[in-house]
Amino acid sequence: MKMRRAVLYEQEDLRIEECEVPEIGEGDVLVKNKISATCGTDVKIYKRGYPLLKPPHPFGHEYSGVIAAVGKKVKNFKEGDRVAVHNTAPCNHCYFCKKGFPSMCEDMLFNRGTYAEYVKVPERIVEQNMFLLDDSISHKSASLMEPFSCAVYGIEECPIHLGDVVAVNGAGPIGLMFARLAVLKGAHVIVTDKAQNRLELAKKLGVHEILNITDIEDSAYAVKAMTEGGRGADIVIEATGLINVWESSVKMARKAGFVLLFGGTKEKSILSIDATLLHYSQVTVKGVFHTTPRHVRTALELLKMGVIQSDDFIQKEYPLEKLEEAILEHAAQKVIKNCIVY
């Protein structure tokens, strides 16, 4: 049986091809796709490549669908089940998994190629990061599980206390998810970005203050000026992947403040930090990558609770043939996200 899928051959060379539907093994599952969501990582891969991927390769990693077939060893799922599926699973055997850092797994399984009519889900993901959906959640909402799980993981790494000032730099999908979670943790949240439409959504999500930095030379100074005595934010979260924003984020924190650097930068980017500031102001700077199975499950539960709404994050629907248009619209920041509907 044939299906259609997207393959990235080179930067900005995205093709929709016909291929055979994947064959599954005894522990695998075949999912008939319903929704694939665009992502900032997809945009970056499309425009500049990705250190962990060499083209040509299948494209996409956020999706939700219905099980079309199960391997004979699969116990907890059956044909016809609606499922949310993450795109990775750690090995649980390597040094980092055993030390409690599954996001650093030395044998992380990545399942690429979710802009496709069918997706093969490998056994390891079936066992750890695939979940049944009940009628309380749509496929569109479930497709947000992967990026939301990254924000859930990142926010739990931040020592946010009630009443803290949290500055989130970047109002893309991940930044908005961070901002929403920080609001729910009882923080006074400031969000910065250059896209006013995204900042307005931040306000809708409960953010207390927004700052359009389009014409601001020193965003760190501007954010600090919004805090009591100009001391800076208690917590700063970077969610753009731009090295200059990484650097300004470090400067936004108060003495003994905490900075989370989440947005992935271009390969070989170098972060410059004032060592005097870091030492004498006792600032903590932490990098966080990806997510963990525990946070994936938590993200799905939060989605079921309606903590964020798919209509706020996914603006337009496209057929697979118009994937490139959906990606470019996302890249231009005209939307928060788009989705492909099958």
Side-chain angles (χ1 to χ4, degrees):
M1 187 168 69
K2 298 286 187 180
M3 73 170 195
R4 295 169 302 148
R5 68 172 184 175
V7 177
L8 189 67
Y9 275 80
E10 291 293 343
Q11 294 173 24
E12 301 187 349
D13 182 7
L14 182 61
R15 308 177 196 176
I16 307 301
E17 299 183 339
E18 191 175 84
C19 67
E20 293 292 331
V21 171
E23 293 185 5
I24 60 172
E26 293 182 343
D28 304 332
V29 163
L30 184 68
V31 170
K32 182 176 176 59
N33 222 341
K34 291 294 184 182
I35 296 284
S36 302
T38 63
C39 170
T41 300
D42 294 341
V43 171
K44 286 188 280 190
I45 293 171
Y46 172 82
K47 284 183 167 289
R48 70 186 192 209
Y50 189 61
L52 303 180
L53 292 172
K54 300 301 178 187
H57 58 76
F59 196 46
H61 64 281
E62 298 179 14
Y63 72 112
S64 175
V66 175
I67 293 178
V70 298
K72 63 182 182 181
K73 282 173 51 180
V74 176
K75 296 179 180 178
N76 298 319
F77 301 96
K78 65 183 184 304
E79 186 177 334
D81 282 344
R82 300 171 66 245
V83 288
V85 195
H86 200 267
N87 70 311
T88 71
C91 71
N92 295 319
H93 301 297
C94 72
Y95 172 85
F96 293 103
C97 283
K98 289 181 177 180
K99 290 289 283 185
F101 301 108
S103 67
M104 296 289 100
C105 177
E106 295 176 304
D107 185 29
M108 184 75 77
L109 174 62
F110 287 87
N111 196 30
R112 306 285 182 181
T114 62
Y115 291 121
E117 291 177 312
Y118 290 88
V119 180
K120 174 184 174 181
V121 184
E123 181 175 1
R124 194 197 294 181
I125 294 177
V126 172
E127 292 178 345
Q128 295 187 58
N129 270 342
M130 188 167 85
F131 305 94
L132 287 171
L133 298 179
D134 56 34
D135 293 337
S136 70
I137 183 169
S138 68
H139 285 292
K140 190 176 285 189
S141 291
S143 73
L144 296 172
M145 181 180 72
E146 190 277 334
F148 197 35
S149 73
C150 295
V152 170
Y153 177 41
I155 207 77
E156 284 208 345
E157 293 295 304
C158 297
I160 298 172
H161 298 96
L162 293 170
D164 276 352
V165 174
V166 175
V168 179
N169 295 316
I174 292 288
L176 290 168
M177 290 171 178
F178 268 117
R180 177 63 178 153
L181 291 169
V183 167
L184 292 175
K185 278 184 166 280
H188 179 97
V189 182
I190 302 167
V191 173
T192 74
D193 202 279
K194 292 184 177 182
Q196 191 62 30
N197 63 318
R198 293 185 167 195
L199 290 170
E200 293 302 326
L201 177 54
K203 289 289 285 185
K204 182 181 177 183
L205 295 174
V207 164
H208 303 85
E209 298 182 84
I210 56 175
L211 179 65
N212 191 318
I213 58 170
T214 302
D215 298 317
I216 294 177
E217 286 189 21
D218 189 341
S219 59
Y221 177 83
V223 168
K224 292 181 83 170
M226 298 168 73
T227 65
E228 186 177 350
R231 65 172 170 249
D234 300 288
I235 310 287
V236 182
I237 299 171
E238 194 289 329
T240 70
L242 301 172
I243 196 65
N244 64 308
V245 183
W246 276 44
E247 292 175 351
S248 63
S249 294
V250 175
K251 298 173 184 176
M252 282 180 194
R254 63 157 166 81
K255 290 181 179 180
F258 181 94
V259 182
L260 183 82
L261 301 173
F262 189 86
T265 59
K266 284 184 179 179
E267 195 172 9
K268 299 181 180 178
S269 296
I270 303 297
L271 175 64
S272 297
I273 299 179
D274 182 340
T276 301
L277 170 70
L278 199 66
H279 176 71
Y280 288 100
S281 292
Q282 203 170 303
V283 175
T284 299
V285 179
K286 183 179 181 65
V288 167
F289 169 70
H290 200 48
T291 190
T292 78
R294 178 170 73 84
H295 295 95
V296 174
R297 179 179 288 278
T298 301
L300 182 59
E301 291 306 313
L302 291 171
L303 286 167
K304 289 179 181 178
M305 291 162 59
V307 164
I308 60 173
Q309 303 294 327
S310 60
D311 288 348
D312 288 331
F313 282 82
I314 300 175
Q315 274 69 56
K316 293 186 180 180
E317 299 179 355
Y318 288 91
L320 183 59
E321 289 76 15
K322 292 189 175 181
L323 171 60
E324 193 164 31
E325 183 179 337
I327 293 288
L328 290 172
E329 192 172 46
H330 184 136
Q333 300 186 357
K334 294 178 181 178
V335 296
I336 306 302
K337 297 169 84 74
N338 286 321
C339 70
I340 304 303
V341 177
Y342 301 87

